[in-house]
Amino acid sequence: MCDNNNVVLIFLYTCLQFWQGRMGRQRKRVVTGEAAPPPRKDDKPSVFHRKEKKKKVDIGKIFINISIGLCIFSLIWFFYALYMRSNLAKRVVTLHPAPPVLDANSSSAKVSPDKFWGSYRPQVYFGMKTRSPRSIVTGMMWMRQFSDTDINLRHTCEQGDRLQSYGWLMHDGINFGVQEIRDNDFTLTTEFVKRMGGDHGGDWTWRITAKQHSSSLHAPVLSLMFYTAVDTQGSLEAHVEDKTRLASITGSSEELGNFKITFQKPVTGEQSSAKYASYNYLKTLSPGLEKLTDIVKHSLNRRFVYSPPSGEKRHYIGVDVYRPSHHPNQQKPQETRKESDFVVHQVTVQTPFQVEVLFESGSFYNRPNQLVASTLTQELDKRKTEFNDKFENTFQLKNKDFSQAHIKFAQAALSNMLGGMGYFFGQSVVQSHYNEYPLLYPEGALYTAVPSRSFFPRGFLWDEGFHQLLLSKWDREVTREAIAHWIDLMNIEGWIPREQILGDEARSKVPGEFIVQRNENANPPTLFLALQDLIGHLSSSPDEKTLAFLGRLFPRLKTWFDWYNTTQTGPKPNSYRWRGRDKDTNLFLNPKTLTSGLDDYPRASHPSVDERHVDLHCWMAMSSGIMASIARVLGEPHQDYELTHTVLSDNNLLNELHWSEQLRAFSDFGNHTQAVSLQQEKVYVPPGQPRHQFPLQFVNALGYVSLFPFLLHILQPDSPKLEQMFQDMRDPNKLWTPYGLRSLSKADPMYMMRNTEHDAPYWRGAIWININYLAVRALHHYGNTDGPYQEKAAALYKELRTNIVNNVFRQYVETGYIWEQYNDSTGRGQGSHPFTGWSALTVLIMGEHY
């Protein structure tokens, strides 16, 4: 920046010197110029001719001076524009100047020892790490020996593994967790518990229990592979006994100090003696955490013999020596990253068995005993009892007459969201229209829940607001930390990248077209929903921690709100428009609006600057009201936010901008026609060039978007529009199903239509739990508020709540999973799974927490 300033200043100074010099020389010629030679006797020019000649000379000088001045001005403007463009180009990667909400060491073992270690690796079936930038990571892989398939190694959560089910049954978010993984013919139960002590987050122990399914003819032989990997910081030392058994790993790092990991021998049960097992180990170097699976795969060898005392000898697959695979003609890739230690302990044993792994911190000097065997069992039992008690005190499902099976389901839903909390560190890839190429965002950390461990194991901005609605009921400190991490990622403009893909491990799971985040693109500001919940707690029980948190948050929150209120405005005053729609109308039945969170929900057929989006209008009305509430609580000026909220919540304005008399519903507005269809391309049209322009009109797509004035409580309780909405919601030919509200009316021309040949319908009929939660919440609100439609809202509330809970529970029992969405015709779960992001809001619906 300083270099650019210097160049511009030097250039301006040079131009000024040149101009002064020229004008000085001109003045010198005029003032002290030599007298004209005396005319010759025979030269008698007319007076008129002499005057005309002098006039021509003066005009020429003026023209030259003007031309030079214009050239200098143009050059100054050119360099100024370059300077400004350089400044604007850097804004996208310039962090917000306000003090961060979180202190620099807020996640460290010293400040937050109880949360330092955790299951913060949601993308793997089982693993732990610390909340630090370059954490040493631990994890488990496994595979079944002597199976029909060649190598069935399990490590990262993959839908393609086709596991019968997997997920946390209990997890308190801090101290312990119990997970069940049902593979084809056996079940693994993974448990962990922590014990505080020392200066580095204390100790922890894993217990893995393997049991064969009753339908299995032969007891499966499994290989469990426990590993520890360094991420550029620290070192590991392997300690081997009996040539092949890795007894322990010792290591050290800046954040953990010295530590030891001990691998116990497998046993049949807690009190039984060691069981026969074969052992292998691998110690090598890894260029990155995303390479761990490949390294293990390329180190496997069939030369090892499994020879139990009573049974046949068979060759099994074990880790041996890592041999990177390279095609003969392929040039070896140039790895610029530092390679780090990677150690694997493999134990191969027949089910049933139990094995424990113990981590001990070198700074925990006064531990009473090792956290293994019966001591571990006692600690786990104690934590389970505490979890059950807290769960019932929080959600009171027994008091609401839910069965034990329903309660176990709800506990699993909450536990999977808590067990799906991740800690990520790295740099987003971002771009503004001032940048020719994408840039790396400043490094940052993110503590967040993830929507799906298998398909979306990373942070999504609008998902997180829904996540924290549930987590704030369980642990408000978790919610404060998660929101703070998100808000601290804000840039100077007030923009937060809506999808956080931090680190190589996270980036390896994302298709390339979704990696770059663009700073004109928003996402629904659902974090305000969670903030609204925190404020609600303040009114009933003053909380100094929440007050202090809101005080630190508010400067950034103001910028965030202003960013929405300036970059996402619509063509009319007090209207709003999502940026970032797909511009190529020739490729899509209806160009998607990923930024709205509702992806392929039908909007105006031809994106334009004339669009008005009713859902964004309602998000801004809600957000402005919450901003006013926070400002009042903090004693900050709130009048402007209150005024904005009053204006945007005006039902007359809402009707004027978004009520369609033809549809008898709220609707988007824009350049739209329903005369579109998917056809084989016959005539080439350049990308981004629409074939036709159509009149500006209401989109008239009845569905979730139409409900937003109701969902976010913008409509007055006596609004006649509520009556029409309730009729549409309860109509089976429109939105009503026995399983929840469908996303798009069954009568809409776009219902269940593909967007492209390869793009199946997504928000065009399926049932989504986040919006159904908002609907149940709104019905509860209007059903408990005086008005002409109070009774109708209360009746709908009971019906819809029952339908949602019954179907999500039934699908969990039948399939073993909570799903991303549910089929509106059959109720069956579909999409990614497990999806214990916002689908876990079913717990709040069960507990009637709104």
Side-chain angles (χ1 to χ4, degrees):
M1 191 69 73
C2 294
D3 292 342
N4 289 336
N5 287 334
N6 291 338
V7 168
V8 173
L9 290 172
I10 292 169
F11 176 76
L12 291 174
Y13 178 77
T14 305
C15 291
L16 184 62
Q17 292 295 313
F18 172 78
W19 182 257
Q20 288 176 338
R22 179 169 180 81
M23 292 306 294
R25 287 194 298 273
Q26 289 175 344
R27 286 194 296 270
K28 188 176 180 179
R29 285 197 295 270
V30 172
V31 176
T32 62
E34 296 177 4
R40 295 190 333 212
K41 291 181 180 180
D42 57 346
D43 188 10
K44 297 180 180 178
S46 66
V47 173
F48 174 80
H49 179 74
R50 289 198 304 270
K51 287 183 179 180
E52 184 68 23
K53 187 174 180 181
K54 183 176 180 182
K55 185 177 181 181
K56 286 181 179 179
V57 172
D58 290 344
I59 291 173
K61 288 179 180 179
I62 291 170
F63 178 77
I64 290 171
N65 288 335
I66 290 173
S67 299
I68 292 172
L70 287 173
C71 288
I72 292 173
F73 178 78
S74 298
L75 285 170
I76 291 172
W77 179 255
F78 173 75
F79 278 96
Y80 176 74
L82 283 180
Y83 165 71
M84 288 304 297
R85 186 176 181 86
S86 173
N87 268 343
L88 292 170
K90 291 178 180 179
R91 284 175 66 82
V92 71
V93 291
T94 302
L95 292 178
H96 196 279
V101 183
L102 292 169
D103 294 331
N105 298 318
S106 62
S107 299
S108 68
K110 185 176 181 180
V111 176
S112 183
D114 56 336
K115 292 197 189 81
F116 190 56
W117 272 106
S119 54
Y120 304 132
R121 304 183 65 210
Q123 73 277 16
V124 300
Y125 288 115
F126 188 52
M128 290 176 66
K129 63 175 289 188
T130 61
R131 292 202 306 174
S132 51
R134 303 294 175 196
S135 172
I136 285 179
V137 303
T138 58
M140 182 184 78
M141 307 180 196
W142 78 90
M143 64 179 175
R144 191 190 191 285
Q145 296 288 351
F146 320 124
S147 65
D148 296 333
T149 56
D150 188 21
I151 295 176
N152 54 3
L153 186 66
R154 319 289 205 199
H155 179 213
T156 56
C157 300
E158 305 289 347
Q159 291 183 178
D161 287 343
R162 300 188 179 280
L163 299 183
Q164 292 181 23
S165 67
Y166 67 94
W168 297 98
L169 304 179
M170 291 181 167
H171 198 305
D172 68 355
I174 297 177
N175 300 300
F176 91 111
V178 180
Q179 180 182 219
E180 187 175 86
I181 303 169
R182 292 179 61 84
D183 211 326
N184 294 325
D185 54 356
F186 61 91
T187 295
L188 295 176
T189 302
T190 68
E191 301 171 284
F192 80 88
V193 70
K194 290 157 51 179
R195 177 195 272 172
M196 290 298 97
D199 302 323
H200 302 91
D203 298 346
W204 51 255
T205 301
W206 295 351
R207 174 181 285 169
I208 316 299
T209 305
K211 295 180 180 178
Q212 72 183 91
H213 294 167
S214 57
S215 58
S216 178
L217 296 176
H218 304 287
V221 176
L222 308 181
S223 286
L224 302 186
M225 300 173 182
F226 300 104
Y227 67 82
T228 305
V230 173
D231 186 11
T232 71
Q233 183 202 98
S235 61
L236 302 174
E237 190 66 41
H239 300 274
V240 180
E241 65 180 26
D242 300 329
K243 295 184 180 179
T244 59
R245 194 181 100 79
L246 184 66
S248 64
I249 298 172
T250 55
S252 65
S253 74
E254 183 180 331
E255 291 149 335
L256 284 175
N258 296 322
F259 60 87
K260 181 180 181 180
I261 300 176
T262 304
F263 304 103
Q264 306 279 41
K265 291 183 177 180
V267 295
T268 305
E270 189 179 297
Q271 302 299 327
S272 61
S273 58
K275 188 169 183 177
Y276 172 81
S278 293
Y279 298 98
N280 303 77
Y281 77 96
L282 171 70
K283 186 177 189 305
T284 186
L285 297 175
S286 165
L289 298 180
E290 79 281 7
K291 303 289 187 184
L292 301 184
T293 305
D294 288 338
I295 290 173
V296 169
K297 282 183 177 179
H298 289 117
S299 71
L300 296 176
N301 197 311
R302 295 178 180 273
R303 71 182 180 86
F304 305 102
V305 177
Y306 182 74
S307 180
S310 57
E312 62 175 318
K313 294 181 179 181
R314 289 184 286 181
H315 284 275
Y316 73 94
I317 303 170
V319 292
D320 193 3
V321 178
Y322 172 47
R323 298 179 181 85
S325 63
H326 293 296
H327 190 274
N329 298 324
Q330 182 182 6
Q331 198 171 15
K332 186 176 180 180
Q334 293 294 319
E335 283 287 357
T336 57
R337 294 176 294 178
K338 176 186 175 184
E339 292 189 321
S340 303
D341 291 340
F342 176 39
V343 181
V344 181
H345 164 66
Q346 177 178 336
V347 53
T348 301
V349 61
Q350 189 173 41
T351 58
F353 66 86
Q354 184 175 286
V355 64
E356 295 174 356
V357 178
L358 171 65
F359 174 93
E360 294 177 299
S361 171
S363 62
F364 193 169
Y365 300 115
N366 57 347
R367 66 175 57 85
N369 49 26
Q370 284 195 316
L371 191 59
V372 294
S374 60
T375 304
L376 174 61
T377 301
Q378 291 170 12
E379 189 66 22
L380 281 168
D381 289 344
K382 184 183 98 173
R383 295 298 185 185
K384 290 174 185 178
T385 300
E386 291 172 351
F387 176 83
N388 286 328
D389 292 343
K390 182 177 179 180
F391 188 86
E392 180 55 31
N393 290 336
T394 303
F395 300 106
Q396 300 184 341
L397 299 190
K398 287 180 184 176
N399 291 341
K400 297 181 184 298
D401 297 325
F402 281 104
S403 68
Q404 192 61 31
H406 278 87
I407 293 172
K408 291 295 183 187
F409 152 74
Q411 288 182 339
L414 170 68
S415 296
N416 274 292
M417 187 179 283
L418 287 164
M421 293 290 291
Y423 186 86
F424 306 94
F425 185 84
Q427 295 175 277
S428 291
V429 183
V430 302
Q431 190 170 11
S432 76
H433 65 268
Y434 296 107
N435 306 118
E436 186 176 356
Y437 302 104
L439 303 174
L440 284 174
Y441 207 65
E443 282 190 325
L446 181 63
Y447 175 56
T448 184
V450 304
S452 170
R453 291 170 62 190
S454 62
F455 210 74
F456 302 111
R458 54 192 179 277
F460 288 79
L461 181 55
W462 98 292
D463 292 64
E464 190 63 10
F466 288 110
H467 299 162
Q468 295 307 324
L469 284 173
L470 175 57
L471 295 181
S472 66
K473 301 295 188 296
W474 182 256
D475 187 342
R476 287 197 289 277
E477 180 59 33
V478 167
T479 295
R480 289 192 293 261
E481 279 202 63
I483 292 175
H485 272 93
W486 274 98
I487 296 297
D488 277 345
L489 291 172
M490 181 185 299
N491 77 358
I492 193 172
E493 300 164 321
W495 173 68
I496 303 172
R498 67 187 185 90
E499 188 172 344
Q500 293 292 330
I501 310 165
L502 303 179
D504 295 319
E505 197 173 13
R507 200 165 293 147
S508 66
K509 300 275 285 185
V510 184
E513 63 266 29
F514 297 114
I515 288 178
V516 179
Q517 307 292 301
R518 290 174 171 79
N519 74 331
E520 68 270 18
N521 294 347
N523 227 194
T526 56
L527 293 182
F528 280 110
L529 288 171
L531 290 170
Q532 185 180 42
D533 193 61
L534 290 177
I535 295 169
H537 283 294
L538 282 177
S539 60
S540 57
S541 56
D543 183 347
E544 291 301 322
K545 288 184 177 179
T546 297
L547 274 174
F549 161 74
L550 291 174
R552 295 193 303 272
L553 192 74
F554 194 63
R556 290 168 176 264
L557 213 55
K558 289 192 294 184
T559 311
W560 195 41
F561 178 83
D562 290 344
W563 180 84
Y564 277 94
N565 213 26
T566 53
T567 67
Q568 307 296 303
T569 52
K572 280 193 164 187
N574 303 309
S575 68
Y576 293 89
R577 174 174 67 88
W578 294 111
R579 299 330 192 243
R581 290 196 67 192
D582 289 325
K583 294 182 174 62
D584 197 341
T585 58
N586 306 308
L587 295 180
F588 306 99
L589 186 64
N590 187 275
K592 288 185 287 190
T593 315
L594 296 175
T595 49
S596 73
L598 305 179
D599 295 15
D600 67 344
Y601 185 95
R603 306 281 182 168
S605 60
H606 290 66
S608 70
V609 296
D610 298 307
E611 285 183 83
R612 306 197 294 263
H613 295 133
V614 62
D615 53 334
L616 181 52
H617 180 106
C618 295
W619 283 120
M620 294 306 298
M622 180 204 75
S623 301
S624 57
I626 297 168
M627 283 295 294
S629 298
I630 296 172
R632 277 196 298 270
V633 165
L634 296 174
E636 297 280 350
H638 64 274
Q639 291 81 2
D640 287 347
Y641 299 116
E642 192 68 60
L643 177 61
T644 301
H645 177 65
T646 301
V647 170
L648 296 181
S649 299
D650 181 0
N651 284 195
N652 292 326
L653 173 67
L654 198 58
N655 295 339
E656 176 190 335
L657 293 175
H658 290 292
W659 181 259
S660 167
E661 282 295 337
Q662 179 185 341
L663 185 66
R664 301 292 297 161
F666 290 102
S667 173
D668 289 340
F669 184 88
N671 185 356
H672 182 68
T673 179
Q674 291 186 349
V676 291
S677 61
L678 286 178
Q679 297 180 3
Q680 193 71 32
E681 189 72 73
K682 296 175 183 176
V683 180
Y684 174 74
V685 179
Q689 299 297 315
R691 289 189 179 88
H692 306 287
Q693 294 292 317
F694 293 92
L696 294 173
Q697 58 182 312
F698 287 109
V699 176
N700 290 332
L702 178 65
Y704 285 168
V705 163
S706 314
L707 300 180
F708 264 86
F710 153 75
L711 296 175
L712 299 182
H713 311 175
I714 309 303
L715 290 179
Q716 295 299 317
D718 59 353
S719 169
K721 302 296 190 287
L722 280 174
E723 184 176 21
Q724 182 65 50
M725 277 191 170
F726 292 163
Q727 290 176 11
D728 291 339
M729 286 167 59
R730 190 58 186 82
D731 188 342
N733 293 316
K734 292 182 178 177
L735 301 180
W736 190 263
T737 81
Y739 321 110
L741 298 177
R742 57 170 63 94
S743 46
L744 186 64
S745 169
K746 205 171 182 180
D748 192 273
M750 289 281 185
Y751 170 72
M752 295 308 292
M753 295 289 287
R754 301 181 74 86
N755 208 38
T756 71
E757 180 184 0
H758 307 289
D759 198 356
Y762 202 44
W763 291 81
R764 296 184 180 178
I767 296 163
W768 292 80
I769 300 303
N770 63 329
I771 303 299
N772 273 269
Y773 167 79
L774 291 179
V776 171
R777 172 178 172 262
L779 288 170
H780 185 268
H781 166 74
Y782 288 107
N784 286 279
T785 305
D786 290 338
Y789 314 107
Q790 182 179 9
E791 190 174 327
K792 180 65 174 176
L796 275 175
Y797 167 76
K798 290 179 181 177
E799 266 194 289
L800 184 58
R801 174 176 176 262
T802 300
N803 289 351
I804 295 167
V805 171
N806 286 350
N807 188 63
V808 176
F809 171 71
R810 181 169 55 249
Q811 290 303 306
Y812 176 77
V813 172
E814 290 180 6
T815 68
Y817 291 106
I818 295 173
W819 294 76
E820 180 183 17
Q821 52 176 240
Y822 294 86
N823 188 283
D824 67 311
S825 299
T826 65
R828 284 195 64 81
Q830 58 191 32
S832 63
H833 58 280
F835 194 94
T836 42
W838 59 45
S839 292
L841 293 175
T842 307
V843 179
L844 293 183
I845 298 174
M846 294 171 73
E848 299 184 282
H849 284 272
Y850 310 115

